[in-house]
Amino acid sequence: MTSKVQHVQDNSVAERRLRPIYDWLDIGNNKKALQECEKVLKKTPNLLCAKALKALTLHRMGKEGEALAILEALTADSPTDDATLQAMTLCYRELQQLEKICKLYETAVKLEPANEELYTHLFMSYARVFDFKSQQKTAMTLYKHKPKTPYYCWAVMSIILQATRGEGKNDAKKRSLLLSLAERMMEKLIVDGKLDAEQEVQLYVMVLELQGKFEEVLVILDGPLGTKLACSNQPHNKLKYLVPLKCWDDVNLLCKGILIESVDRWDIWKEYINSVFALMEAKPYESNNHDNGASDNDLETVDDTPEKCHEFICRIVENGADNGFLLRGPYLARFELCSRLVKCNVDSSDVLGETIELFIEYFRKFGHKPCCVSDLRHYLDLLDCEKKAELSARLIKDVGISSTSVPQSEQQMQRHLCALQLSRLCGAHRNLTSDHLKALVTAFSLHYEHGYQTYGTNLLSTDLGPSDPYALLAAHVLYDLSQSEKKSEPIVAALVLLENMLKNSPSNFHAKLLCVRLYHTVGGCLGAQNMYSSLDTKHLQLDSLGFIHCARLATTGLYSLCSNLFDVTLKFFSSNYKDSSDHITFSYKYGSFIKLDEFMDFRERLNNSMHYTTVAIDRIVLSLVECTTLDTLYNIDISPKDDKIDWEALRDNHDLSVYISWDPERIKGPPEEYEEIRTFFKQNKIFLKLRTSLLWALSAAVDIVKSSDGVRTKYMDQLATILADWEELSTKNRNHAPLCQHLVTLPLPSRLHVALATPHFDIVGRMLRLLLAVVSEGCSKEDDLVEKIESGVKAMVDMIENRGKNSADLIYRRETMEYVVNAVEVLSVSSLICLLCNDLVKPPSKKGKKKVSEASSWKETVVRLANSFKTHINALNEVLQTWAQFSVSSDLALMLESVNLSNDGHNVCENIVNSYVLAVREIQCVLKNKIKMLSSIQ
Amino acid sequence: MTTLRPFTCDDMYKFNNVNLDPLTETYGLSFYMRYLAHWPEYFQVAESPSGEIMGYIMGKAEGIGENWHGHVTALTVSPDFRRLGLAATLMNFLEDVSEKKRAYFVDLFVRVSNKVAINMYTNLGYIIYRTVLEYYSGDPDEDAYDMRKALSRDVNQKSVIPLTHPVRPEDVD
């Protein structure tokens, strides 16, 4: 009966029957897929694969429990056919239960120990959970069955990972033992003549590299194995090993050889100059050799002095002179040489002449290229303040455009732009009077307009306008003005200017990024939203650029926008975390062992993203703000990232450098490295900890209410501990200075500051203490607690009312909105706690009557609090009503006039005013629902 | 002035200056990861002296027999670093790798409207091998040119004899 033929036939019949299920799943029609599953299972109730697909379908329909039940039953059947196992693997992967996949294949290989494919899957299942030891064992078993070199290499790689990321990570002895084992295994492969593929040689090199055996690597690169490294064995690869071996002669000569061929290789220039100084150190500088006889053959002589180095640079410059077009490499190499000399306290002018002349020369040669600025930026610190001022003046003069003339060609315009940007970097825009700044804005915007009319009208919509940088500069200067005058009108003026520019140049992402920042500064989040969506950010950009918009949205009160972007962001993170184990299995499959370490780091980087954690928490808080019934509350998962936040590993993945800037601070390096950004990150982390405390506390409170008497004390203890920690955290973090706002390209201040100024703990924490008192049926009446809560809430609402009256300035107004949003959070969560308390004091229906009297006195307290909350929520509601009605001041018109901008800022003003109107509407809706909810407490 | 080096995962955190340009598509993570895992040598980034990403190229090798070839999947240069010969440097690199892999030719697809790119590829020695109808979806769909350049292994330049008829996307292997 069960002959092989029969089996094969069965398979093809089954395959045909299952096909429609796969098709429905592929296009995402789960309902149809489920119907099809049922149909197939009716005909063939024991078709395991159909069951597995049913589980997958059910999971995708959100029926996790049913899916798991099927999977468990299937596991007991010990399937070994590929289709079933694959479907189950997929399902477990989506359920994030990767260990179960290992178990599945462990059983399968026991039943079919000769099945190569099953072993391969078992290996991959271990790779997904980073079980390096089991990986190694499986790979070796596999190799014994099928002696293919790749399997052997899998085993070696698994050993390497044990050394670098497994038990050898913190144990030097283990590490070296494991690595030398890996090395011996690779040597055996060579002896057997089985080392052939490029990836395998790379693996061998990796083993040697990890042990610091660089000489051995060099031998391989030069030997017969080196020829197998066809794609990766380039001459400059040797540098990687020659440098740590301090073979400076070889480094020097190798670099020279490469540079003669390709003069624009910047990495090689740096290594070359580095080697010159290393050689110089070895052979003191005083023997400055004066003979320069070996000029013909100097590719074979080592350059060990700055003079020789300079001569080499000059020679390459001369070679290039007859090439027709200029390459920047050797010219920039001079700067590198100069900066190294300065670092060694050697007077560079002996060799290179006056440093400032280097800049002038470079500018004359390359000033018409936009990259000239970023080339020179890094070296500007070779000049002191005075020289910087001199450079700035000379560059502007060199371009030949005065306050009364305009560029005569597009090239001259680009040179003008470069000169202006460099002079801003030199500090030329610092410490100017308001009038002077305004004059700059006027000049820049006129230049922009002229450049647009002359060179920018016939461009494709995807091109950036050639004169756009003038407008960007003008916007930056306007921001300076807003800082020095402490007013927001210049920011609005900058937005008017940029919005106008974007009409001409709709693809300029620099302008859009700047607009997002500026709109958020003045609370015009609808404008920010428009700009943000036109940037079309997606995928990883949700993390790297999340700070520009998503991270600010939570402070705006625009709950519907928040909800959308939060969900998109969270979906990106969770689905990519699931996929990320696939990339690791791909690496094994294709033998790209060199990428494995990187892939694992990247996976961690993504999962430990600070932004991810922030949004995960914000999403939960938002659900709480919107929650209006206890049932809904019970269904919210209040533990962010399943409480698996690794605080130490959290990292800031934001690409702050995306903001173009010519502020002098940028000379030092990218903003990610600024001290104040590190502080900012720490502040954000404290903010997150405070916020998680609130969530944990509330979660424990819910557990208390939901639990029966037996386990209740456990949760009560938990809540008490969390509250104590939270209180400590909020009291010890009182003094944090907000991130200085003098640079437009840095983020807005951390949300920590407003959060700390809001009585989160004083109100919510006390509410939870009250809940503890209620549940423990404490006899002491907590009047004191109740009064403190009431006065706290009143003070919070009063503060907002005062802020509303205080100032009409938009920057202040934006901050007030952040206070409002915080207050709404406090009120929402407190109201929910009220509801929880109310649930606790409901007289238990069947239990004894003796508690009733105590319960009723608590009942009074809860009702009193609910009424009090209602009163204050109503008060806040009214405050908001009047506060939302405003118009952007007429000062704006004056401002625009003073910098000669056309007075058509209506669009920008509308964006700002409407943002507040819409936010207040959404907030009032939340408040109204809270009042309704509290009214159920009587 | 360029540092050419293999593209790493972390570069995806820094490539916004290139990718925010409207002509450069930002793909889902797994797309990049698959290329990094399968053809790491074909995925290179050009870095400026100040450490910014100036551009990058991603490609692959595929095909059987005389169709074994290198393919350019994406090539992009940041607006600030254009007209410096960067695209040519990156293309040379990819051609070099393809030579070492003993490929017969290198090919790429480009929108028929992208005159600048077509011009550049022509200057680098590529010819229009065929038109692929409605290859790029959009409103309306746009045709692609399949452009090719023969490598040294294709001694008789067989791979670059243009087709006379356009093909449908499903006929492109």
Side-chain angles (χ1 to χ4, degrees):
Chain A
M1 282 292 279
T2 52
S3 70
K4 253 213 163 118
V5 179
Q6 176 76 37
H7 185 68
V8 170
Q9 266 176 0
D10 272 358
N11 262 351
S12 70
V13 169
E15 221 168 83
R16 207 176 52 233
R17 285 192 181 145
L18 294 172
R19 180 71 359 228
I21 308 179
Y22 287 109
D23 290 342
W24 288 122
L25 281 172
D26 277 346
I27 57 167
N29 193 333
N30 298 326
K31 222 172 129 190
K32 285 276 188 193
L34 188 64
Q35 282 172 8
E36 203 64 41
C37 284
E38 303 288 11
K39 218 167 89 190
V40 176
L41 282 171
K42 213 171 215 174
K43 279 186 202 144
T44 47
N46 290 321
L47 189 56
L48 297 185
C49 188
K51 289 187 191 168
L53 289 173
K54 186 178 169 187
L56 182 63
T57 313
L58 286 168
H59 166 63
R60 289 192 179 168
M61 294 171 91
K63 297 177 180 170
E64 206 166 289
E66 289 177 51
L68 277 171
I70 298 180
L71 286 177
E72 259 162 50
L74 268 174
T75 310
D77 282 337
S78 308
T80 55
D81 72 289
D82 193 50
T84 306
L85 288 169
Q86 287 293 327
M88 291 178 75
T89 301
L90 206 57
C91 198
Y92 276 130
R93 263 186 36 197
E94 289 182 15
L95 285 157
Q96 282 294 285
Q97 301 195 353
L98 300 175
E99 281 80 10
K100 296 262 175 72
I101 306 176
C102 304
K103 292 275 168 301
L104 205 58
Y105 282 102
E106 277 164 15
T107 317
V109 296
K110 265 183 212 143
L111 294 171
E112 292 191 21
N115 190 328
E116 180 181 359
E117 205 174 328
L118 286 181
Y119 266 107
T120 313
H121 285 302
L122 179 62
F123 176 85
M124 295 303 182
S125 71
Y126 287 135
R128 278 196 209 96
V129 296
F130 308 102
D131 183 347
F132 308 133
K133 263 191 183 161
S134 302
Q135 269 176 234
Q136 180 199 346
K137 234 170 62 197
T138 311
M140 278 322 281
T141 317
L142 192 51
Y143 183 68
K144 271 174 207 143
H145 282 305
K146 300 273 170 188
K148 297 179 183 168
T149 317
Y151 297 150
Y152 190 85
C153 289
W154 288 2
V156 175
M157 189 66 218
S158 308
I159 296 171
I160 295 177
L161 288 170
Q162 288 173 56
T164 55
R165 308 181 81 102
E167 53 182 3
K169 193 179 167 191
N170 300 313
D171 183 342
K173 213 169 146 196
K174 275 250 164 69
R175 182 188 143 99
S176 91
L177 272 174
L178 285 161
L179 287 176
S180 76
L181 170 63
E183 184 184 345
R184 266 179 286 131
M185 283 180 71
M186 290 311 286
E187 275 161 3
K188 186 168 177 300
L189 213 53
I190 300 171
V191 173
D192 296 349
K194 283 181 170 174
L195 193 64
D196 191 44
E198 178 157 11
Q199 295 96 322
E200 292 154 17
V201 183
Q202 283 172 345
L203 183 64
Y204 185 36
V205 170
M206 192 199 296
V207 177
L208 294 172
E209 230 178 79
L210 284 167
Q211 301 177 90
K213 298 185 172 178
F214 303 126
E215 279 130 343
E216 285 88 336
V217 177
L218 288 167
V219 173
I220 292 178
L221 293 182
D222 285 333
L225 285 178
T227 56
K228 295 187 195 296
L229 291 168
C231 298
S232 46
N233 193 11
Q234 293 156 325
H236 68 267
N237 278 7
K238 278 195 191 170
L239 290 173
K240 197 171 148 196
Y241 311 104
L242 289 171
V243 170
L245 287 170
K246 298 192 172 25
C247 302
W248 302 119
D249 282 4
D250 296 324
V251 171
N252 194 273
L253 292 176
L254 184 61
C255 288
K256 285 173 77 175
I258 297 170
L259 288 170
I260 285 284
E261 295 297 319
S262 31
V263 304
D264 241 13
R265 291 292 309 251
W266 184 243
D267 45 343
I268 309 296
W269 273 115
K270 283 183 84 158
E271 288 297 359
Y272 164 70
I273 291 169
N274 193 35
S275 71
V276 171
F277 282 81
L279 285 163
M280 206 171 95
E281 214 173 281
K283 192 186 75 152
Y285 187 50
E286 83 302 315
S287 66
N288 217 332
N289 51 314
H290 295 284
D291 61 314
N292 283 319
S295 63
D296 263 359
N297 218 358
D298 68 358
L299 274 184
E300 283 163 31
T301 54
V302 167
D303 296 339
D304 52 5
T305 66
E307 287 77 11
K308 289 188 197 164
C309 174
H310 189 230
E311 211 162 290
F312 178 69
I313 296 173
C314 290
R315 181 178 148 188
I316 288 193
V317 168
E318 281 158 28
N319 280 357
D322 33 80
N323 270 346
F325 68 105
L326 278 175
L327 289 167
R328 287 133 64 224
Y331 293 93
L332 206 60
R334 283 194 178 142
F335 286 94
E336 186 65 21
L337 174 61
C338 181
S339 102
R340 290 300 301 260
L341 284 169
V342 170
K343 258 186 214 147
C344 300
N345 289 319
V346 179
D347 184 1
S348 65
S349 62
D350 290 349
V351 186
L352 294 159
E354 281 298 319
T355 308
I356 194 167
E357 302 304 328
L358 289 180
F359 285 94
I360 302 283
E361 189 194 353
Y362 196 90
F363 178 76
R364 285 188 180 144
K365 288 210 155 63
F366 304 107
H368 60 288
K369 308 259 189 202
C371 61
C372 180
V373 178
S374 76
D375 286 350
L376 293 181
R377 189 176 56 210
H378 175 58
Y379 295 109
L380 283 172
D381 261 357
L382 292 172
L383 305 173
D384 58 23
C385 281
E386 241 167 76
K387 288 281 179 193
K388 274 186 196 150
E390 185 190 332
L391 176 69
S392 160
R394 281 181 64 187
L395 290 180
I396 303 282
K397 203 171 154 220
D398 200 72
V399 179
I401 291 170
S402 68
S403 52
T404 52
S405 59
V406 291
Q408 298 305 303
S409 68
E410 202 175 333
Q411 217 181 58
Q412 197 189 11
M413 183 173 77
Q414 185 54 52
R415 283 165 49 76
H416 188 218
L417 283 165
C418 266
L420 291 171
Q421 291 167 353
L422 283 167
S423 82
R424 184 171 167 92
L425 275 165
C426 286
H429 297 169
R430 286 282 155 91
N431 305 318
L432 298 181
T433 62
S434 290
D435 284 344
H436 199 149
L437 289 172
K438 283 179 188 168
L440 281 178
V441 174
T442 307
F444 293 162
S445 55
L446 289 176
H447 273 301
Y448 164 73
E449 199 51 42
H450 168 262
Y452 168 65
Q453 297 297 347
T454 322
Y455 312 110
T457 46
N458 284 321
L459 299 176
L460 299 171
S461 68
T462 48
D463 287 332
L464 306 189
S467 67
D468 291 359
Y470 283 120
L472 291 170
L473 270 169
H476 279 235
V477 176
L478 279 166
Y479 186 81
D480 295 347
L481 190 63
S482 85
Q483 285 294 301
S484 66
E485 294 197 333
K486 305 209 177 342
K487 278 200 286 195
S488 58
E489 282 82 11
I491 293 179
V492 183
L495 283 165
V496 172
L497 179 104
L498 291 169
E499 288 261 20
N500 281 335
M501 180 201 118
L502 281 166
K503 276 183 203 135
N504 303 331
S505 180
S507 297
N508 195 311
F509 61 88
H510 296 299
K512 292 181 189 175
L513 287 166
L514 196 53
C515 282
V516 175
R517 165 65 159 87
L518 294 176
Y519 268 124
H520 273 301
T521 312
V522 293
C525 19
L526 289 180
Q529 172 69 24
N530 289 341
M531 287 295 164
Y532 178 79
S533 35
S534 78
L535 280 168
D536 195 23
T537 17
K538 53 191 170 202
H539 308 304
L540 194 64
Q541 291 171 331
L542 291 170
D543 191 16
S544 63
L545 297 178
F547 74 104
I548 67 170
H549 188 51
C550 184
R552 295 310 311 177
L553 269 183
T555 65
T556 61
L558 290 167
Y559 298 125
S560 45
L561 285 184
C562 289
S563 163
N564 277 334
L565 194 49
F566 289 174
D567 288 343
V568 170
T569 303
L570 291 177
K571 194 170 164 230
F572 161 78
F573 279 108
S574 62
S575 75
N576 274 290
Y577 190 65
K578 283 177 198 165
D579 289 351
S580 59
S581 54
D582 282 354
H583 315 134
I584 288 159
T585 58
F586 281 145
S587 276
Y588 287 107
K589 194 170 154 199
Y590 300 118
S592 47
F593 303 114
I594 40 168
K595 286 284 173 189
L596 265 171
D597 216 34
E598 188 187 315
F599 283 6
M600 292 185 198
D601 286 344
F602 182 64
R603 174 189 157 92
E604 282 163 24
R605 178 172 186 180
L606 200 62
N607 198 42
N608 288 319
S609 156
M610 168 89 118
H611 184 61
Y612 178 18
T613 312
T614 312
V615 177
I617 294 171
D618 278 339
R619 173 69 258 190
I620 299 170
V621 174
L622 181 59
S623 308
L624 295 173
V625 166
E626 287 173 338
C627 172
T628 52
T629 66
L630 271 189
D631 280 343
T632 325
L633 176 63
Y634 291 161
N635 281 323
I636 299 174
D637 183 359
I638 312 182
S639 359
K641 289 171 97 184
D642 298 325
D643 285 340
K644 282 186 210 142
I645 303 173
D646 183 351
W647 294 102
E648 289 314 303
L650 272 197
R651 58 175 292 174
D652 192 351
N653 287 334
H654 292 150
D655 176 18
L656 301 176
S657 305
V658 77
Y659 274 97
I660 197 166
S661 154
W662 310 277
D663 290 314
E665 287 77 2
R666 209 58 173 246
I667 298 174
K668 305 276 184 221
E672 286 83 357
E673 291 166 12
Y674 296 176
E675 195 51 46
E676 59 246 67
I677 288 299
R678 292 208 183 102
T679 311
F680 175 69
F681 173 72
K682 281 183 205 145
Q683 293 171 345
N684 284 338
K685 201 152 129 177
I686 298 169
F687 171 68
L688 285 188
K689 282 188 177 167
L690 283 168
R691 235 162 142 69
T692 0
S693 301
L694 179 141
L695 293 182
W696 282 336
L698 185 67
S699 173
V702 169
D703 285 336
I704 292 173
V705 179
K706 281 205 286 192
S707 63
S708 55
D709 287 343
V711 283
R712 192 167 259 184
T713 38
K714 190 186 95 187
Y715 292 123
M716 287 165 64
D717 291 346
Q718 230 173 47
L719 178 56
T721 318
I722 296 169
L723 286 176
D725 291 349
W726 182 12
E727 184 168 26
E728 196 198 332
L729 197 63
S730 19
T731 40
K732 97 177 167 204
N733 278 302
R734 285 289 167 203
N735 299 314
H736 289 280
L739 177 65
C740 182
Q741 292 295 294
H742 67 305
L743 301 179
V744 67
T745 52
L746 295 187
L748 281 156
S750 168
R751 288 159 64 192
L752 174 69
H753 314 292
V754 174
L756 284 175
T758 305
H760 279 276
F761 184 81
D762 289 347
I763 298 175
V764 178
R766 285 198 179 114
M767 281 298 292
L768 289 166
R769 291 231 161 106
L770 188 84
L771 182 135
L772 275 179
V774 173
V775 80
S776 58
E777 290 154 2
C779 340
S780 67
K781 293 278 286 169
E782 300 280 347
D783 274 347
D784 187 33
L785 206 49
V786 173
E787 268 157 30
K788 276 185 179 159
I789 292 169
E790 282 177 335
S791 63
V793 176
K794 182 173 187 307
M796 183 172 77
V797 175
D798 285 349
M799 177 182 63
I800 288 168
E801 188 174 6
N802 286 332
R803 285 190 66 99
K805 286 179 196 155
N806 256 346
S807 159
D809 189 82
L810 289 171
I811 298 176
Y812 186 82
R813 186 172 268 276
R814 185 210 66 73
E815 203 182 51
T816 305
M817 179 56 93
E818 198 173 337
Y819 275 98
V820 172
V821 172
N822 272 275
V824 172
E825 281 174 19
V826 169
L827 292 169
S828 299
V829 176
S830 303
S831 304
L832 286 172
I833 300 170
C834 240
L835 214 59
L836 285 173
C837 291
N838 186 50
D839 204 55
L840 285 170
V841 293
K842 258 194 293 194
S845 47
K846 279 177 190 165
K847 279 189 179 167
K849 287 173 190 167
K850 61 177 177 183
K851 286 177 186 168
V852 169
S853 61
E854 276 159 26
S856 67
S857 82
W858 277 117
K859 178 85 190 176
E860 277 166 32
T861 311
V862 173
V863 172
R864 172 181 158 189
L865 266 175
N867 286 332
S868 163
F869 274 115
K870 278 197 290 194
T871 314
H872 293 302
I873 290 173
N874 270 324
L876 180 61
N877 213 354
E878 270 165 44
V879 169
L880 292 179
Q881 190 63 38
T882 47
W883 181 65
Q885 289 154 1
F886 75 106
S887 65
V888 175
S889 73
S890 53
D891 289 353
L892 176 66
L894 287 175
M895 175 69 224
L896 289 171
E897 211 182 284
S898 74
V899 292
N900 287 309
L901 283 172
S902 64
N903 188 12
D904 58 353
H906 308 302
N907 185 20
V908 174
C909 297
E910 246 170 55
N911 271 330
I912 296 170
V913 173
N914 286 346
S915 301
Y916 285 95
V917 172
L918 186 62
V920 165
R921 204 180 299 152
E922 293 202 25
I923 292 170
Q924 286 182 325
C925 180
V926 163
L927 295 178
K928 220 171 72 195
N929 286 330
K930 288 290 160 315
I931 288 183
K932 217 196 262 170
M933 181 180 92
L934 288 168
S935 300
S936 70
I937 301 174
Q938 277 168 2
Chain B
M1 183 135 25
T2 314
T3 299
L4 210 58
R5 57 167 180 77
F7 191 96
T8 67
C9 296
D10 281 349
D11 287 323
M12 288 189 273
Y13 274 111
K14 301 199 306 176
F15 69 12
N16 290 316
N17 257 322
V18 183
N19 278 37
L20 286 175
D21 188 70
L23 288 175
T24 304
E25 177 68 22
T26 298
Y27 299 101
L29 268 191
S30 18
F31 188 73
Y32 300 107
M33 297 300 273
R34 224 173 312 142
Y35 274 82
L36 285 173
H38 200 156
W39 303 281
E41 67 282 1
Y42 266 120
F43 203 162
Q44 296 282 323
V45 58
E47 203 177 60
S48 79
S50 51
E52 292 157 271
I53 293 183
M54 302 193 285
Y56 58 87
I57 193 165
M58 63 195 286
K60 58 182 171 182
E62 59 185 7
I64 318 165
E66 291 191 356
N67 196 32
W68 171 245
H69 67 282
H71 175 75
V72 184
T73 304
L75 167 66
T76 175
V77 174
S78 145
D80 276 353
F81 297 97
R82 288 189 188 148
R83 298 189 198 176
L84 298 169
L86 213 57
T89 309
L90 290 163
M91 286 296 286
N92 280 337
F93 185 93
L94 185 135
E95 287 163 18
D96 260 6
V97 174
S98 304
E99 280 284 358
K100 284 176 185 155
K101 288 186 181 288
R102 306 286 294 128
Y104 287 87
F105 59 92
V106 170
D107 74 352
L108 56 92
F109 292 95
V110 59
R111 287 177 186 272
V112 293
S113 65
N114 194 347
K115 297 268 169 7
V116 181
I118 296 166
N119 220 338
M120 179 195 78
Y121 291 126
T122 311
N123 286 335
L124 292 173
Y126 287 75
I127 59 115
I128 297 171
Y129 171 69
R130 59 183 169 183
T131 306
V132 187
L133 297 168
E134 292 166 358
Y135 179 78
Y136 294 101
S137 46
D139 189 23
D141 290 348
E142 189 175 349
D143 296 350
Y145 285 139
D146 177 356
M147 297 186 77
R148 281 188 180 186
K149 178 177 180 174
L151 297 178
S152 63
R153 190 171 182 189
D154 182 13
V155 182
N156 300 319
Q157 306 265 307
K158 266 168 67 183
S159 63
V160 286
I161 304 167
L163 295 191
T164 45
H165 299 292
V167 297
R168 307 276 330 156
E170 53 271 24
D171 301 325
V172 177
D173 44 322

